[in-house]
Amino acid sequence: LAQVLFWLRIKLTPSVYPFLLFSLSNMRTLCQEESIKVPKDVKITIKSKIVEVSGKHGSLKRDFKHLPIELYLADNGKKVCARMYFAKSKQLSMLRTVCSHISNLFDGVTKKYEYRMRLVYAHFPINATITNNGATCELRNFLGEKRVRVINMLPGVKVEKSAQTKDELVISGTDIDLTSRSAALIRQSCLVKNKDIRKFLDGVYVSSHGTIED
């Protein structure tokens, strides 16, 4: 910086500081690139910023048309690259975000995602019933209420009772968004109303989540 100022014949005086801060904050990166490796058992196609990934558990598709980036395959399809031109520092963060989304697609089609939820109650036991071949969950007797709470899973997501642990639900699917949102639907269906939630802790809570290890 001092060499640049010397070249421009500008003396570093207090009157120059605001100009320097403004110019540094508005600097744009000429070209920035992030990449991610493609796993062996995964096929990927990219067309018009629409990424389609297929593996042993099915195929997933994601659209990145709303982002001003360049997506392409490199090294004979062994690497996915995301590139951006003339971006500011906050805009560059979307490169890593896109790579993270594509990495989640890889994990989904190779391993699947799993969310484990526990039925928590103090007095009235919550009864969970799985219907429609794992596509629907029915919850009864929450805080002694007669109302039956029916939660439909999102497409491609299945719910089942845990074989090892009592009062546990297992939600699994290939898409991390749909799987986590299905768990959220179950969680939000059993919220305590008009009571002190520090005392009334009944509900269905996520105890753990991650990929299913083969």
Side-chain angles (χ1 to χ4, degrees):
L1 184 59
Q3 290 177 347
V4 173
L5 292 173
F6 175 76
W7 182 69
L8 294 172
R9 300 296 190 273
I10 298 174
K11 290 185 179 180
L12 196 60
T13 59
S15 61
V16 182
Y17 292 157
F19 168 75
L20 282 176
L21 291 173
F22 176 77
S23 59
L24 288 173
S25 64
N26 284 275
M27 284 179 64
R28 292 175 179 267
T29 306
L30 185 65
C31 179
Q32 183 79 13
E33 188 172 292
E34 287 278 349
S35 63
I36 180 173
K37 288 184 178 179
V38 179
K40 288 183 180 179
D41 303 330
V42 171
K43 291 182 180 179
I44 180 171
T45 57
I46 300 174
K47 187 176 181 181
S48 301
K49 287 195 266 192
I50 297 176
V51 180
E52 190 167 356
V53 176
S54 57
K56 63 179 180 180
H57 291 301
S59 61
L60 293 172
K61 188 185 286 186
R62 186 130 195 168
D63 191 347
F64 296 105
K65 283 186 177 180
H66 60 287
L67 297 176
I69 62 171
E70 182 184 337
L71 269 179
Y72 62 95
L73 291 171
D75 292 346
N76 295 323
K78 295 180 181 178
K79 190 166 71 170
V80 181
C81 296
R83 185 185 289 169
M84 179 178 271
Y85 297 95
F86 303 110
K88 293 185 180 179
S89 58
K90 283 190 177 180
Q91 295 168 331
L92 290 173
S93 61
M94 68 179 72
L95 287 175
R96 190 67 245 166
T97 301
V98 168
C99 290
S100 297
H101 281 309
I102 296 174
S103 177
N104 288 337
L105 296 180
F106 292 155
D107 288 342
V109 297
T110 55
K111 301 176 186 175
K112 274 194 173 183
Y113 285 97
E114 180 183 79
Y115 278 68
R116 290 183 173 270
M117 306 185 76
R118 297 297 298 270
L119 308 177
V120 179
Y121 51 86
H123 185 269
F124 296 102
I126 302 172
N127 300 323
T129 308
I130 310 301
T131 58
N132 201 10
N133 291 326
T136 306
C137 177
E138 297 178 357
L139 299 175
R140 291 177 172 83
N141 202 34
F142 174 68
L143 290 179
E145 295 177 9
K146 299 294 182 185
R147 182 165 75 90
V148 179
R149 289 164 166 81
V150 180
I151 305 101
N152 294 313
M153 298 294 103
L154 296 171
V157 181
K158 280 197 170 186
V159 60
E160 59 186 6
K161 286 187 175 180
S162 174
Q164 294 86 13
T165 312
K166 184 193 173 190
D167 293 333
E168 186 177 56
L169 298 176
V170 181
I171 298 105
S172 59
T174 55
D175 194 325
I176 188 172
D177 284 350
L178 298 178
T179 309
S180 58
R181 281 167 54 198
S182 298
L185 290 174
I186 296 176
R187 166 79 184 95
Q188 292 169 352
S189 69
C190 290
L191 298 178
V192 177
K193 306 287 186 180
N194 304 319
K195 291 181 177 65
D196 188 355
I197 58 173
R198 296 171 297 179
K199 180 69 176 175
F200 292 85
L201 300 172
D202 293 34
V204 186
Y205 299 93
V206 175
S207 58
S208 64
H209 61 88
T211 54
I212 302 174
E213 297 298 331
D214 294 335

